[in-house]
């Protein structure tokens, strides 16, 4: 029979005939055979199974072996002995290698035939040893999967005893770590995945049967993925093990890993990175659960260095996994956690921003319900990130366009999501954990590190730094041996100008300049901070000048009397009615202007005038509902005498220890304006009592002006300034107490700028009080910003009307004769003459992103502007004339409107966008369009530089040491910067 079978498989008979003959040979297995015949038949069938040249012969061999082994079991038990099995496992069969899976196929078939025979126990013991040897030799996926299938069918072959069993599990984990797919086609990949699944399934069975082996196996797994050996990269097939780890062990295992002092940060970083790589493994369950749990565990023990490094290294890989439907759910969960927890810097989010649009288009095009659901989740995540990291319109605009038809989460939901996901600590040490130390950006500018909600300071400092003439004056000061705030500002400016770092941490200046009522690590008003800073610098300089003067006049004086004398001199100096230009402080020279307020009694025509200094003008908004019924600004209040409804505190008369409000806040016809928590209500109808026909005609003309403005789509800075300077009718409860009439009277209040500053700072009063909800709401109206602004300045010519040089002087004319009153008034020719128009160029714009003053984010747009023009660019043709509203009414003209600037002539890369640590090039188009594209991002504080003025600076210094127009630094300051640059460059290497 064996000769028939051998001749059959080697003959050229047709295949159907061969199958008939094979069936008869199998049926003849019941025929009694001699021991030699059986042995020959077993040997032949074994050769066909292991060395058959084609699938038909191998199938014939298996059929014959099973048939004859079943009917001749004793003979087969003698044939399939220890020697045969050991030889197959260690030496193979003929030319067939012992690592060929066919060997294990044959052994498994033989075990099934002798399961009821006593000799099978001996084979089980042999296989227990050989199985452990095989996994230690790191079998390839096909052989390892076949071994695990055999061990799964015959668990008696698994190594016994805790020691051997544990060793087997650990070695099997390491074997999986060496798995690599042998092909890239779908069929090959599917086969590879099934082989890995077979191996991980055996480990699950062992862990379930012997729980003591689980924890050591996981420790071995962590040892593999945390190894720093760069020559070996563990296979992502290890991800198949995660789904078999009980979820209830997460808490214990993660706590053990994150608190183990023997686990170094480098090892933990490596392990976490490789676990994130596991997201690529298809069909693996709970990988994202373990990754997120480990991220949270590291945050709980404040391992922020690891979290930052891993996030920046792997965020793009996680995002790319979203392209693959099989792994998309887990990848999106990890991506969301990474982005929402990494809230101290936009760096991680900005790494994926360039890839968002293409993914969104892909989700939309495939039309699958699952893709639509994922797109909604992704869109919500992206909106949260853009809300948190506002100030990057060039980056975000394509994304907004791509997701414009998708639902947008409410602000309340965004805030809730962000608050629930942040790391447990956002301490000021976080930024210092950044392991990457990039150099300066291509802009050549230096950013400012956010020390914890300090964007309000960063945006203001960058605007002041970009005020070129002010920066040069600060850098040129000789402040050696002085520990003043100005010295600290000089130090900060010097580092911003000369450091090699991408961003500088202004910790010393922040602590020195923070208003005492500002709560650390909470959001504050940048305008309030700016006023406090300028006032501090001004008062400090006055005090130092007074002390210097006192030391010069009194060479011998004890410490106590010297301090008292200095204070007295400072007070006298502060109250001096006249001050020469050389005696003015730097803040006065750069930002100080004067405003004259005149109140005219409409009954007796007597006037009262007052001059007040300002460092910035606060411009109120005028809702259209108010404009429709308002002529001159009609103000109703209980009583106005000398207050004039102009709220100001002067720099010169404020005690050094106080914090006066250094701006003028004048209502521009609004119904309500919030100022430091107080509400000022304004009527919408002028009181007609004691009002002549001429005044009523003026009211009507002004109402016409207001109605024209109502029809405009966008307000401009011009409009707000026009309302600021527009006349106000004081009537009703707000009547003016006239000394001459000795009673409350209707009056008209007018304001004129009589001395312009070098830098004009305009603050748009965007935060109004909502009496219904008792909260401060933000006015989100868009305001057009002119590049060039011409400010009307009516310089005083009458020696009686104006006290020249006075920082805070009030002249009141109430009970004087008619002739004297006429002399004090300008001549008729002067009244109709336009004021001198002083051109200003836009230098900086501080933008507030958010919907309330207690939250949001600040960033700045700025450009280099000197007295002769910004970077050589001058928009003469687009200069915006701002004429006094009074003069326009006399000429029956409406207030000037915003003229579109010829943006095509703008010098490329002239504008910079400062957003904490990040500095990028931008354009004026971005500045103008910011609110239309991002409704909650609005211009808040504007810096304008007076044109054709260099503030007495000669940038063409003969010493040749000026750098980019900036003066040379003091030696100790330059040495400090040089030392820091060397240290920084060493760290980067």
């Amino acid at each position: 029979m064996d000769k028939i079978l051998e001749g059959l498989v080697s003959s050229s008979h047709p295949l159907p005939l061969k199958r008939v003959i094979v069936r008869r040979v199998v049926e003849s297995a019941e025929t009694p055979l001699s021991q030699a015949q059986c042995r020959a038949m077993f040997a032949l069938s074994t050769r066909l199974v292991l060395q058959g040249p084609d699938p038909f012969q191998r199938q014939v061999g298996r059929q014959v072996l099973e048939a004859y082994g079943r009917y001749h079991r004793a003979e087969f038990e003698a044939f399939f002995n220890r020697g045969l099995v050991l030889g197959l496992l260690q030496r193979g069969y003929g030319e067939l290698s012992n690592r060929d899976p066919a060997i294990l196929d044959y052994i498994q078939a033989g075990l099934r035939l002798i399961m009821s025979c006593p000799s099978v126990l001996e084979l089980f013991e042999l296989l227990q040893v050989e199985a452990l040897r095989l996994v230690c030799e790191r079998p390839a996926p096909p052989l390892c999967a076949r071994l695990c299938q055999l061990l799964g069918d015959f668990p008696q072959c698994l190594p016994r005893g805790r020691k051997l069993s544990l060793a087997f599990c650990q070695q099997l984990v390491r074997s999986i770590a060496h798995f690599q797919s042998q092909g890239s086609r779908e069929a090959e990949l599917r086969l590879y995945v099934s082989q890995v699944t077979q191996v991980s399934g055996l480990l699950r069975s062992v862990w379930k049967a012997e729980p003591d082996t689980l924890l050591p196996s996981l420790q071995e797994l962590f040892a593999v993925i945390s190894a720093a050996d760069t020559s070996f990269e563990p296979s992502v097939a290890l991800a198949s093990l995660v789904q078999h780890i009980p979820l209830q062990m997460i808490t214990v295992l993660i706590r053990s890993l994150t608190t183990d002092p023997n686990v170094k940060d480098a090892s933990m970083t490596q392990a976490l990175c490789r676990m994130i790589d596991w997201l690529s493994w298809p069909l693996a369950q709970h990988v994202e659960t373990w990754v997120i749990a480990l991220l949270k565990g590291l945050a709980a023990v404040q391992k922020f260095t690891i979290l930052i490094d891993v996030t920046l290294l792997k965020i793009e890989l996680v995002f790319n996994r979203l392209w693959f439907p099989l792994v998309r759910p887990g990848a999106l969960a990890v991506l969301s956690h990474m982005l929402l927890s990494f809230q101290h810097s936009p760096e991680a989010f900005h790494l994926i921003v360039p890839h968002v649009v293409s993914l969104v288009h892909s989700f939309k095009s495939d039309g699958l319900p699952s893709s639509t659901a994922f797109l909604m989740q992704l869109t919500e995540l992206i909106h949260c990130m853009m809300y948190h990291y506002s100030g990057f319109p060039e980056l975000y605009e394509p994304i907004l366009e791509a997701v414009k038809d998708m639902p947008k989460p409410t602000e309340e939901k965004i805030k809730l999501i962000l608050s629930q996901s942040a790391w447990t600590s956002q301490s000021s040490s976080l930024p210092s954990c950044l392991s990457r130390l990039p150099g300066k950006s291509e802009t050549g500018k230096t950013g400012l590190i956010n020390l914890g909600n300090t964007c309000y300071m960063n945006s203001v400092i960058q605007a002041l730094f970009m005020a070129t003439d002010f920066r040069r004056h600060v850098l040129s000061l000789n402040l050696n041996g002085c520990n003043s705030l100005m010295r600290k500002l000089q130090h900060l400016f010097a580092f911003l100008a000369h450091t090699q770092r991408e961003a500088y941490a202004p910790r010393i200046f922040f602590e020195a300049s923070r208003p005492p009522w500002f709560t650390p690590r909470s959001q504050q008003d940048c305008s309030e901070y700016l006023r406090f800073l300028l006032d501090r610098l001004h008062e400090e300089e006055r005090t130092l000048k007074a002390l210097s003067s006192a030391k010069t006049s009194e060479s011998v004086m004890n410490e106590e009397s010297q301090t008292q004398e200095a204070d007295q001199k400072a007070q006298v100096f502060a109250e001096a009615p006249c001050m020469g230009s050389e005696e003015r402080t730097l803040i006065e020279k750069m930002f100080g202007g004067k405003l004259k307020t005149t109140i005219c009694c409409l009954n007796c025509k007597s006037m009262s005038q007052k001059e007040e200094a300002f460092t910035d003008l606060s411009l109120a908004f005028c809702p259209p509902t108010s404009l429709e019924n308002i002529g001159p600004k009609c103000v109703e209040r209980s009583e106005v005498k000398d207050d004039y409804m102009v709220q100001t505190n002067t720099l010169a008369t404020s005690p050094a220890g106080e914090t006066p409000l250094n701006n003028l806040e004048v209502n521009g016809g609004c119904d309500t304006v919030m100022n430091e928590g107080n509400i000022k209500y304004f009527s919408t109808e002028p009181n007609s009592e004691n009002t002549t026909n001429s005044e009523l005609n003026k009211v009507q003309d002004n109402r016409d002006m207001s109605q024209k403005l109502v029809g405009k789509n966008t307000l401009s800075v011009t409009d707000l300034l026009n309302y600021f300077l527009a006349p106000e009718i004081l009537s009703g409860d707000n009547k003016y107490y006239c000394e001459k009439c000795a009673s409350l009277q209707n009056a008209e209040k007018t304001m004129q700028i009589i001395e312009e500053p070098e830098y004009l700072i305009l603050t748009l009063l965007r935060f109004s009080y909502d009496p219904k909800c008792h909260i401060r709401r933000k006015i989100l109206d868009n305001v057009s910003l002119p590049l060039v602004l011409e400010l009307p300045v009516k310089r005083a010519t009458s020696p009686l009307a104006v006290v020249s040089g006075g920082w805070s002087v009030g002249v009141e004319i109430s009970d004087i004769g008619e002739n004297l009153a006429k002399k004090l008034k300008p001549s008729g020719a002067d009244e109709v003459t336009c004021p001198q128009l002083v051109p200003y160029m836009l230098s900086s714009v501080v933008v507030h992103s958010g919907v309330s003053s207690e939250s949001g984010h600040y960033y700045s747009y700025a450009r280099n502007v000197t007295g002769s023009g910004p970077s050589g660019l001058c928009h003469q043709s687009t200069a915006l004339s701002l004429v006094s509203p009074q003069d326009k009414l006399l000429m029956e003209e409406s207030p000037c409107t915003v003229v579109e600037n010829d943006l095509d002539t703008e010098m490329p890369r002239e504008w910079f966008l400062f957003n904490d640590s990040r500095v990028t090039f931008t354009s004026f188009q971005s500045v103008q369009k910011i609110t239309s594209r991002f409704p909650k991002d609005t211009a808040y504080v504007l810096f304008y530089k007076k044109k054709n003025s260099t503030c007495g600076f000669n940038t063409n210094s003969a010493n040749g040491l000026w750098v980019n127009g900036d003066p040379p630094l003091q030696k100790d300051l330059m040495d400090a910067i040089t030392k820091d640059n060397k240290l920084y460059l060493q760290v980067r290497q």
Side-chain angles (χ1 to χ4, degrees), residues 358-417:
S358 57
L359 182 64
V360 169
H361 289 326
S362 174
F363 280 1
K364 288 183 176 180
S365 61
D366 65 21
L368 298 175
S370 59
S371 297
T372 303
F374 278 114
L375 178 58
M376 294 182 66
Q377 296 178 53
L378 179 64
T379 301
E380 181 177 88
L381 174 64
I382 296 300
H383 275 300
C384 288
M385 292 296 97
M386 291 191 296
Y387 177 91
H388 188 61
Y389 302 120
S390 56
F392 303 94
E394 291 84 357
L395 285 176
Y396 299 162
E397 187 173 17
I399 299 177
L400 288 175
E401 180 65 25
V403 301
K404 63 182 179 181
D405 54 345
M406 299 300 297
K408 181 179 179 180
T410 64
E411 185 177 10
E412 289 73 18
K413 185 174 183 181
I414 290 176
K415 289 181 177 179
L416 178 63
I417 293 172

Side-chain angles (χ1 to χ4, degrees), residues 570-766:
Q571 185 66 22
V572 172
F573 189 42
E575 296 176 354
C578 181
M579 182 188 302
S581 60
E582 294 303 322
E583 295 177 326
R584 300 173 69 197
T585 67
L586 177 59
I587 300 304
E588 290 175 309
K589 294 175 183 178
M590 293 289 105
F591 306 104
K594 288 183 182 178
L595 192 77
K596 181 175 72 174
T597 304
T598 303
I599 293 185
C600 178
C601 175
L602 296 181
N603 182 44
C604 69
K605 306 304 181 184
S606 62
M607 291 190 300
S608 177
Q609 295 181 335
K610 184 178 182 180
E611 290 182 13
E612 295 180 280
F614 65 86
T615 53
D616 76 297
L617 300 178
S618 295
L619 308 181
F621 281 75
C622 305
T625 54
S626 301
L627 293 177
E628 293 176 359
N629 298 316
I630 291 180
K633 292 175 284 190
C634 304
V635 185
E636 293 187 357
R637 190 175 176 183
S638 59
E639 180 179 357
V640 173
K641 188 173 182 180
D642 294 327
D643 188 13
Y644 311 139
M645 287 302 295
V646 180
Q647 300 189 0
T648 177
N649 284 73
T650 64
L651 292 173
T653 59
S654 302
E658 298 180 3
T659 56
L661 183 65
N662 301 330
N663 72 320
L664 295 172
E665 299 190 6
V666 182
N667 181 273
C670 301
D671 288 329
T672 62
V673 174
M674 180 63 193
N675 175 29
E676 301 301 325
N678 301 319
I679 315 170
K680 295 184 286 187
Y681 294 92
F682 299 85
S683 68
T684 57
E685 290 292 341
N687 192 315
S688 60
E689 182 181 354
N690 297 328
T691 304
T692 64
N693 290 334
S694 61
E695 278 82 37
L696 290 177
N697 291 335
K698 192 173 182 181
V699 170
Q700 181 60 43
D701 290 339
N702 213 359
R703 179 181 293 114
D704 294 338
M705 175 188 74
S706 301
Q707 289 174 346
K708 290 179 181 179
L709 285 175
V710 172
K712 296 178 60 175
N713 293 327
T714 303
L715 287 172
S716 69
V717 174
T718 311
D719 299 328
L720 301 185
L721 273 169
N722 277 338
Y723 282 110
F724 180 88
L725 296 172
E728 294 184 16
I729 299 299
L730 308 178
S731 61
D733 292 337
N734 199 50
K735 286 183 178 181
Y736 168 69
Y737 182 82
C738 178
E739 295 285 352
K740 183 175 181 180
C741 299
S743 62
L744 293 173
Q745 296 292 333
N746 289 342
E748 181 184 63
K749 182 185 73 172
T750 59
M751 288 184 297
Q752 297 173 340
I753 298 173
I754 61 172
E755 185 176 314
E756 74 280 9
E758 290 294 332
Y759 284 94
L760 175 64
I761 302 177
L762 302 175
T763 301
L764 310 186
L765 294 178
R766 290 191 172 275

Side-chain angles (χ1 to χ4, degrees), residues 766-778:
R766 290 191 172 275
F767 302 110
S768 61
Y769 184 74
D770 186 342
K772 294 182 179 179
C773 302
H774 302 290
I775 60 174
R776 294 181 71 187
R777 293 190 182 278
K778 182 178 177 181

Side-chain angles (χ1 to χ4, degrees), residues 871 873 903-912 921-923:
S871 304
L873 181 66
L903 301 179
D904 294 336
T905 64
E906 182 186 351
M907 180 176 291
R909 296 195 166 187
E910 178 194 9
W911 283 88
F912 303 94
F921 286 115
T922 186
S923 65

